[in-house]
Structures are given as C-alpha cells and as structure tokens.
Amino acid sequence: MVKGKIGVGIITYKRPHFFKHCYDSIPWNKIDTAVVVNDGPAYDFDQEGIVLNDKTECIQHSSNMRLSNTINDSINYLFNQQCE
C-alpha cells in the first residue's frame, strides 16, 4: 500500500444539486482519487452543470443496492486503488 494516498468516496441518490455542492467542495489538490457511486437514476452531468475531473471514477448501479452495498462498493474501489 502506498503510504499517504488519499481517496474520497461519494455516495449519491437522486440529489444531483447536493452531489454537485459536495463534489465541488473537495480539496482536489490533496486528493489522489475519488469514486462516485450513484445508487439511483443516472445523472445527466452536463445538464446539471457537473464537471468530473480525471481523478474521479463513477459507478452507476442499475438498481437501488441500498446504502450498505453502496458504501462497500466505494470502499472496495478505494482499497483497489491502494488508498489508506
């Protein structure tokens, strides 16, 4: 594991405006990677004014997997990216 590698997981469900606010508040100069897990209908990022950077991966669930599974997806992704 790479010491000091920092990852962020964001879980969202049918709240694109709140997601945008959360995403835009991340101090990207201190983050190595991020994952967004959307447990609801897919967002139209362009229409919502959401611009994802190259540090961000999106996981879109095809159906509502519930919070615990969504959290696990986020943690597994960050673990696989060797984040602490």
Side-chain angles (χ1 to χ4, degrees):
M1 189 175 295
V2 178
K3 185 171 179 155
K5 191 168 180 184
I6 298 173
V8 171
I10 302 173
I11 296 166
T12 186
Y13 178 81
K14 291 186 178 181
R15 295 177 72 186
H17 296 298
F18 183 72
F19 165 72
K20 181 180 181 337
H21 176 73
C22 178
Y23 188 82
D24 289 345
S25 72
I26 294 172
W28 290 104
N29 60 327
K30 298 178 182 179
I31 303 300
D32 296 299
T33 189
V35 62
V36 175
V37 184
N38 187 1
D39 202 35
Y43 294 158
D44 182 341
F45 289 110
D46 290 333
Q47 182 178 351
E48 298 294 340
I50 300 167
V51 178
L52 302 180
N53 62 39
D54 60 350
K55 295 181 179 182
T56 305
E57 180 68 33
C58 290
I59 298 172
Q60 175 65 54
H61 287 169
S62 58
S63 63
N64 187 321
M65 301 294 290
R66 305 288 182 215
L67 185 59
S68 60
N69 292 322
T70 305
I71 290 170
N72 286 340
D73 284 350
S74 173
I75 291 170
N76 286 333
Y77 176 84
L78 295 171
F79 180 76
N80 288 334
Q81 297 301 307
Q82 300 178 333
C83 295
E84 281 191 9

